[in-house]
């Protein structure tokens, strides 16, 4: 039985392995989860929605569109920087705070990655007054918005931003594997932000796929793809 899945763009790279393991035909479209959620509310056909947060699936339940929701995997925010910049040995906070370095994020409200970046800025602000506020003012919202340029298929947003010299630092997900010339920098506690990915079951026929995502097999595939499986929460 074929059905339609709308999924957060950060799941694109790991999806072929998940779909192959599931073994049933699935129509899938990727995009910023906030924008996809709005399309579903406007009548876009969707049997299973895979969001990079829990808020959007819960909003579909509240609207009477989804039957159920659950967290199925985690991710974590990190910094991606050119290798040359990483070689400066500056800490993650020193890099973000440097006034001459361009910091890029996804777009809040439209994409959970942008929302998580703003949560990071809020945590920084609580510890270092003025720093988080300055980051919100400086941050370039380059991807994930309704009018953002399209990132080429198969290219992680961090690579598109940094290799195109659109910014010096990109705040995104750790699941994006580092590519040549780009270094991933972990954000340590108490500042690190965990992203909870959740599904919204919009039609009962997609229940087997929802169940599969919670299985040990799917969790292993997601872990290999750079995600944090449910039993290994950060």
């Amino acid at each position: 039985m074929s059905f339609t899945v709308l999924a957060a763009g950060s799941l694109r790279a790991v999806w072929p392995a998940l779909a192959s393991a599931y073994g049933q035909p699935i129509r899938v479209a990727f995009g910023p989860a906030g924008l996809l959620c709005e399309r579903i509310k406007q009548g876009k056909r969707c049997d299973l929605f895979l969001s990079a947060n829990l808020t959007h699936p819960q909003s579909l339940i509240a609207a009477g569109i989804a039957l159920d929701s659950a967290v199925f995997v985690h991710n974590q925010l990190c910094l991606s920087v050119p290798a040359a910049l990483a070689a400066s040995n500056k800490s993650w906070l020193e890099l973000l705070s440097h006034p001459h370095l361009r910091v890029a994020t996804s777009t809040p409200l439209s994409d959970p990655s942008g929302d998580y970046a703003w949560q990071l800025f809020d945590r920084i602000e609580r510890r270092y007054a003025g720093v988080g506020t300055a980051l919100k003012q400086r941050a370039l919202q380059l991807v994930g918005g309704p009018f953002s340029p399209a990132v080429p298929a198969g290219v992680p947003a961090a690579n598109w931003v940094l290799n195109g010299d659109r910014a010096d630092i990109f705040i995104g997900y750790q699941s994006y594997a580092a590519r040549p010339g780009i270094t991933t920098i972990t954000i340590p506690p108490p500042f690190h932000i965990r992203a909870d990915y959740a599904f919204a079951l919009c039609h009962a026929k997609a229940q087997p796929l929802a169940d599969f995502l919670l299985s040990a097999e799917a969790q292993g595939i997601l872990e290999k793809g750079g995600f944090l499986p449910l039993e290994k929460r950060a």
Side-chain angles (χ1 to χ4, degrees), residues 7-215:
S10 48
L11 291 164
R12 186 191 299 269
V14 75
W15 185 258
L18 287 170
S20 176
Y22 182 65
Q24 299 294 325
I26 305 169
R27 294 184 297 271
V28 60
F30 299 95
L35 298 183
L36 292 178
C37 185
E38 287 304 310
R39 291 176 64 190
I40 294 169
K41 290 177 179 178
Q42 293 167 7
K44 174 69 175 178
R45 178 183 173 183
C46 177
D47 300 308
L48 188 69
F49 172 47
L50 306 181
S51 176
N53 67 7
L54 182 56
T55 301
H56 295 322
Q58 288 179 333
S59 74
L60 294 180
I61 289 179
I65 298 172
L67 306 173
D68 190 17
S69 71
V71 173
F72 66 91
V73 79
H74 308 287
N75 212 333
Q76 191 164 299
L77 219 58
C78 69
L79 308 186
S80 291
V81 301
L85 184 56
S88 68
N89 292 321
K90 295 184 182 295
S91 72
W92 69 276
L93 188 56
E94 288 174 325
L95 290 171
L96 284 182
S97 303
H98 197 295
H100 300 305
L101 293 178
R102 298 163 296 169
V103 178
T105 71
S106 192
T107 305
L109 300 181
S110 296
D111 186 3
S113 177
D115 297 327
Y116 292 130
W118 254 241
Q119 290 178 27
L120 171 64
F121 298 156
D122 287 338
R123 291 190 181 185
I124 294 171
E125 180 66 20
R126 286 194 291 270
R127 182 68 67 92
Y128 303 105
V131 177
T133 298
L135 281 166
K136 287 184 179 181
Q137 295 170 346
R138 289 172 47 214
L140 306 171
Q141 300 172 34
L142 297 184
V143 297
F147 306 109
S148 300
V151 177
V155 179
N159 296 74
W160 181 77
V161 168
L162 299 177
N163 292 338
D165 194 30
R166 296 172 174 87
D168 305 297
I169 301 168
F170 184 76
I171 303 176
Y173 296 126
Q174 73 165 19
S175 59
Y176 290 125
R179 301 292 180 91
I182 294 179
T183 299
T184 297
I185 299 175
T186 300
I187 300 170
F191 299 97
H192 76 273
I193 301 291
R194 192 186 74 187
D196 295 329
Y197 282 54
F199 64 74
L201 181 66
C202 299
H203 195 288
K205 66 181 180 180
Q207 184 69 61
L209 177 57
D211 293 339
F212 170 73
L213 292 173
L214 297 171
S215 71

